[in-house]
Amino acid sequence: EWEADGSNRTVPARVGDDAVEHFKSSGKPLELVIDDGDFARVRSECFGYPLGVRPGVGLDIVGSAGGPQLLLLGDSVAGGVGAWCFKGWTTELCSSLRTKYGYGVCAKVDGLDVYKAAQDFPKLAAACSPKPLIVLIAFSAGLQHVATCPDWDREPSCTAYIQALERLLAQIFESGACPVLAGLCPNEDCGEEQSPIWKRTNERMRMLGVPFVDWLHRLSKSENDASWAEGLGHDTVAPNARGHAAMHACIDLATFDPAQARTALRRREEEMVKPKMCFSDGNGF
């Protein structure tokens, strides 16, 4: 049987000026890798990138003089996988933050997951200069395993994911930075059993007490179906270019306002030094 139902796989007629300039500067011939997604799932958009270029290309940005710094910790979706030449939601966000607030960006998105980030955060933060004001945590594909694992492993895996986020958040606060947390993305393998788990875990993330970017409802097929909405998924895990654009549209840039971040950190520090009642016997002790 042929895999398609009438639609065809496509390749853009034009590569894109950014890819061409990359290879002009390197002096190498332009070679493209075309990833047309999973077999039997013909996508509406093509995903490709210059040979040798890795996810996260172009995300590191020098900020304005004396401007704030953002440390981006994320997975392949944050690295732009699924968008042409890796120009995904983080590319648009970092550019917008540079324009509006003068942010510089240090991105760690290639080969990283939430567990490794929690384990290696001191090293990751030390590699970011100047010291970050905000750390954006973007492991939106972090439940990939849960979509296909045995049912007995689903809840423990979700709990482990949340606990890793909590360890990472604690370290970020301890370092003197303000965390922002991005929510989960859909997964094409989510069925009626996995979708409620996706929703519950996303809600647990929202309740962690830090600024939260929630796009699961915008990207999902329906309220009760956590698979990709029509035309937004590249493959099982990653969004396509339109999906990345939809993710960027869910972000309020005011979440990254440097003045608000500094105020939040100052209030948290004040709360930490206030004396707190630990025990009372009801008789004045």
Side-chain angles (χ1 to χ4, degrees):
E1 286 184 13
W2 186 242
E3 63 167 340
D5 58 0
S7 56
N8 294 317
R9 297 182 184 269
T10 60
V11 178
R14 233 173 139 260
V15 173
D17 295 335
D18 47 359
V20 172
E21 288 302 319
H22 171 83
F23 277 87
K24 277 183 180 178
S25 62
S26 68
K28 298 178 181 178
L30 178 59
E31 297 179 70
L32 288 175
V33 176
I34 304 298
D35 179 349
D36 55 7
D38 301 332
F39 186 78
R41 292 175 178 173
V42 179
R43 297 308 183 188
S44 57
E45 296 178 358
C46 181
F47 167 46
Y49 50 91
L51 183 65
V53 173
R54 300 290 300 169
V57 61
L59 291 180
D60 291 322
I61 298 175
V62 177
S64 59
Q69 187 78 2
L70 173 75
L71 174 59
L72 168 60
L73 304 178
D75 53 24
S76 61
V77 173
V81 168
W84 186 251
C85 293
F86 298 122
K87 301 299 181 183
W89 70 271
T90 48
T91 301
E92 295 299 322
L93 174 64
C94 293
S95 177
S96 299
L97 292 178
R98 175 65 173 82
T99 300
K100 185 165 186 176
Y101 297 119
Y103 268 98
V105 179
C106 176
K108 306 294 182 182
V109 296
D110 191 11
L112 194 65
D113 60 33
V114 66
Y115 307 102
K116 186 173 176 57
Q119 176 181 320
D120 296 342
F121 178 75
K123 295 178 183 178
L124 295 170
C128 181
S129 181
K131 179 182 175 181
L133 172 64
I134 289 181
V135 179
L136 173 57
I137 307 168
F139 297 101
S140 298
L143 292 190
Q144 180 179 357
H145 166 73
V146 178
T148 55
C149 72
D151 56 359
W152 54 263
D153 196 28
R154 291 171 186 163
E155 290 296 346
S157 294
C158 292
T159 299
Y161 177 75
I162 294 294
Q163 289 174 342
L165 285 175
E166 289 174 332
R167 292 195 301 271
L168 183 54
L169 290 172
Q171 292 182 82
I172 291 170
F173 277 124
E174 190 174 325
S175 74
C178 187
V180 174
L181 179 60
L184 294 174
C185 278
N187 187 293
E188 197 65 23
D189 287 330
C190 274
E192 60 181 15
E193 294 181 354
Q194 296 93 335
S195 292
I197 297 174
W198 241 253
K199 304 284 184 177
R200 286 199 302 272
T201 305
N202 196 66
E203 190 60 28
R204 289 173 70 184
M205 294 169 68
R206 184 202 300 275
M207 300 302 292
L208 289 176
V210 299
F212 183 64
V213 180
D214 186 8
W215 42 43
L216 183 60
H217 66 288
R218 170 67 180 83
L219 303 173
S220 296
K221 188 169 292 184
S222 71
E223 182 65 28
N224 300 315
D225 188 342
S227 60
W228 287 103
E230 186 69 28
L232 296 184
H234 165 66
D235 59 16
T236 304
V237 177
N240 59 19
R242 279 186 288 174
H244 277 280
M247 294 169 76
H248 179 252
C250 293
I251 301 173
D252 182 2
L253 292 184
T255 304
F256 299 86
D257 186 331
Q260 289 187 18
R262 293 187 180 102
T263 298
L265 289 171
R266 185 171 61 252
R267 286 176 179 170
R268 186 176 188 276
E269 186 176 344
E270 291 171 353
E271 286 296 321
M272 293 292 287
V273 299
K274 283 182 180 179
K276 295 179 176 60
M277 177 70 70
C278 298
F279 171 79
S280 171
D281 67 353
N283 296 312
F285 176 73

